[in-house]
Amino acid sequence: MSSKNRLRRTMMFLSTQRAGSIRDAYIYAPDSIIFDLEDAVAVSEKDSARVALYHVLKYVDYKGIERLVRINGADTPFWKEDIRAAVAAGCDGIRIPKCETAHDVEIVEEQVLKAEQEFNRPIGSTLLQIAIETPLGVRNAYELSIASERIFGISIGAGDFMRSMHARRRDDGAELYAARAQLVLAARAAGVQCYDTVHTKVKDYEGLERDTNLIYDMGFDGKSVVHPSQIPIIHKVFTPTVPEIEKAKSIISKLSNEAKEGVGVFMVGDDMIDVAMLEGAKRIMALAKAAGADKGE
Amino acid sequence: MQLNHAAVGGTEESGDVFVEVSPGTGKLELEITSKVLVLYGESIKKSILETLSRLKVTDAKVIVKDKGAVDQTIRARLVTAIFRAADMKENLPWGDL
């Protein structure tokens, strides 16, 4: 069973239509794989993609990488069977596209529960990820984040959102700033994770790094990926520096010692430290560990 | 499972397999072509027969053109073709696969 709070710096989309692309995806070492049954699959191959999905989830060892499934929208005839196939095969979670209201989440959760019962999966084991792709979805981000106990995170999909907004893409991300800020705010208030949209210019590594630095500084937990070459760039941004790691270690160590002596506030270098910084320090150490940047000495 | 008409699954792209199934003449007929037939022919045949058995297909003609597909892809493409030939679109028997 996947954990709601596991590390998700990179979530790589894979078209489930193409046999060759889905079976070896673990070699690129993303934190999560999102098997796509929606936009990347032609309508005439929805059935075939679903069967292929079932077989890879059931029979391929993804070496501990989280396996999520983006289902088709509730305005299509495909989504209920998508859920049955994904849950029967034991996926870790379902990504719900184009969420706007809590109702969009509730109808999916109902089908997930039915599928868990039908295929003898542990009840509650299938997590949910919310994809927000419209202005109304952004406005309702908090309501969406708390719509189900199964929700581990929310994400923004910029393609549809930009079209709805009549906005134009900019290199500095200004056109998405309001939506990104509202999403990360809602996610933090609800206690779930938050992920950024894909960078669709696959060979624009400089732009990807700039975008990733922005969302990392804003507090996002990760970013969606459309090509394996994007993964190391995002992981690098999400890898804490040596001074950040040393400081986090000091905070964790000193908070532990000082707490025994009843001291709530103390200094690390020139910075005043209190217990509110413990969570951030632990997050830095988790990122460092995932990146192999801290050997735990 | 009853096949109502001929149907296909998969492609002839590298790493995939093309499968065609059609109603049989009272028995199972299997035709397999593959560049790795000498090495993996028996394994491919075993996967095909196991999948047909799981879905209780006993009367069919199955043509398999393998382009280097792995085992789960061969099974998936055959299942797709069978569901299409049986006109099964919803409430599919995932638990039996």
Side-chain angles (χ1 to χ4, degrees):
Chain A
M1 191 183 298
S2 195
S3 160
K4 285 169 79 169
N5 297 318
R6 66 181 287 165
L7 202 66
R8 297 183 181 90
R9 299 164 298 177
T10 44
M11 311 181 86
M12 183 166 72
F13 277 103
L14 285 178
S15 169
T16 316
Q17 186 173 331
R18 298 192 62 201
S21 72
I22 55 177
R23 70 169 194 260
D24 299 329
Y26 60 83
I27 63 174
Y28 304 114
D31 293 324
S32 306
I33 293 172
I34 302 174
F35 295 98
D36 191 11
L37 295 174
E38 195 205 20
D39 290 348
V41 177
V43 170
S44 61
E45 292 299 324
K46 294 289 188 188
D47 61 337
S48 171
R50 199 186 283 134
V51 175
L53 167 82
Y54 177 88
H55 282 81
V56 292
L57 286 178
K58 192 87 178 170
Y59 299 111
V60 176
D61 179 5
Y62 282 92
K63 319 287 184 192
I65 293 170
E66 187 178 47
R67 303 153 316 143
L68 307 172
V69 178
R70 177 161 78 167
I71 59 170
N72 286 283
D75 57 346
T76 73
F78 309 116
W79 67 286
K80 289 183 183 175
E81 201 60 36
D82 291 347
I83 291 172
R84 288 185 73 245
V87 172
C91 74
D92 295 312
I94 301 278
R95 177 178 165 117
I96 315 173
K98 297 184 182 66
C99 292
E100 291 195 316
T101 69
H103 177 70
D104 299 333
V105 181
E106 289 160 4
I107 57 173
V108 169
E109 182 173 33
E110 186 183 330
Q111 295 301 318
V112 167
L113 177 60
K114 280 174 69 175
E116 286 176 344
Q117 291 166 335
E118 180 182 357
F119 298 108
N120 295 317
R121 300 290 308 164
I123 302 300
S125 62
T126 312
L127 302 179
L128 296 178
Q129 182 192 3
I130 305 301
I132 292 174
E133 304 172 56
T134 64
L136 181 59
V138 172
R139 288 296 301 266
N140 291 336
Y142 179 72
E143 177 196 350
L144 287 163
S145 300
I146 59 169
S148 165
E149 282 294 314
R150 295 171 184 260
I151 294 171
F152 65 84
I154 61 174
S155 57
I156 180 149
D160 287 330
F161 179 76
M162 296 297 295
R163 281 189 287 279
S164 305
M165 290 295 290
H166 306 173
R168 290 194 302 184
R169 294 309 298 263
R170 290 168 53 108
D171 287 343
D172 63 2
E175 82 289 4
L176 269 178
Y177 189 78
R180 280 170 165 159
Q182 288 197 55
L183 243 71
V184 75
L185 193 64
R188 290 292 164 259
V192 301
Q193 294 182 342
C194 192
Y195 322 102
D196 191 45
T197 188
V198 295
H199 193 77
T200 52
K201 293 179 182 172
V202 171
K203 292 184 178 173
D204 174 25
Y205 301 125
E206 192 181 318
L208 173 65
E209 187 169 348
R210 188 173 54 238
D211 244 16
T212 310
N213 272 305
L214 174 68
I215 61 112
Y216 180 63
D217 289 345
M218 289 179 76
F220 278 75
D221 295 282
K223 189 167 175 63
S224 299
V225 170
V226 287
H227 192 274
S229 65
Q230 298 178 322
I231 292 169
I233 294 166
I234 297 170
H235 284 184
K236 183 181 154 202
V237 172
F238 273 79
T239 301
T241 62
V242 171
E244 286 173 331
I245 294 168
E246 293 308 319
K247 186 176 174 185
K249 281 182 179 174
S250 292
I251 290 171
I252 293 167
S253 166
K254 288 200 172 182
L255 269 173
S256 172
N257 293 333
E258 302 287 347
K260 287 177 194 163
E261 296 171 18
V263 178
V265 178
F266 55 90
M267 302 294 287
V268 170
D270 293 334
D271 296 327
M272 192 184 78
I273 303 298
D274 64 29
V275 72
M277 294 176 170
L278 182 60
E279 186 185 335
K282 285 182 175 175
R283 181 168 176 269
I284 292 286
M285 294 310 297
L287 288 169
K289 188 179 173 191
D294 177 63
K295 306 300 180 192
E297 74 277 14
Chain B
M1 189 176 294
Q2 179 74 37
L3 305 186
N4 300 325
H5 51 77
V8 301
T11 70
E12 295 194 40
E13 291 175 13
S14 176
D16 205 346
V17 59
F18 178 83
V19 178
E20 180 175 359
V21 299
S22 50
T25 54
K27 60 181 179 180
L28 284 176
E29 290 178 69
L30 194 52
E31 184 181 315
I32 302 172
T33 55
S34 171
K35 283 184 179 174
V36 292
L37 196 62
V38 175
L39 275 176
Y40 297 108
E42 279 306 309
S43 166
I44 294 169
K45 185 179 173 185
K46 183 167 173 273
S47 297
I48 298 287
L49 292 175
E50 270 182 15
T51 304
L52 291 168
S53 173
R54 280 171 187 258
L55 291 175
K56 299 181 174 58
V57 177
T58 55
D59 183 9
K61 182 175 183 186
V62 182
I63 298 171
V64 178
K65 296 177 183 173
D66 173 48
K67 299 294 176 184
V70 294
D71 184 61
Q72 74 271 1
T73 301
I74 294 169
R75 292 173 188 262
R77 298 317 194 197
L78 176 58
V79 169
T80 297
I82 291 170
F83 283 164
R84 286 173 174 174
D87 297 312
M88 294 180 66
K89 294 177 181 172
E90 290 178 346
N91 295 315
L92 300 170
W94 300 110
D96 297 337
L97 298 179

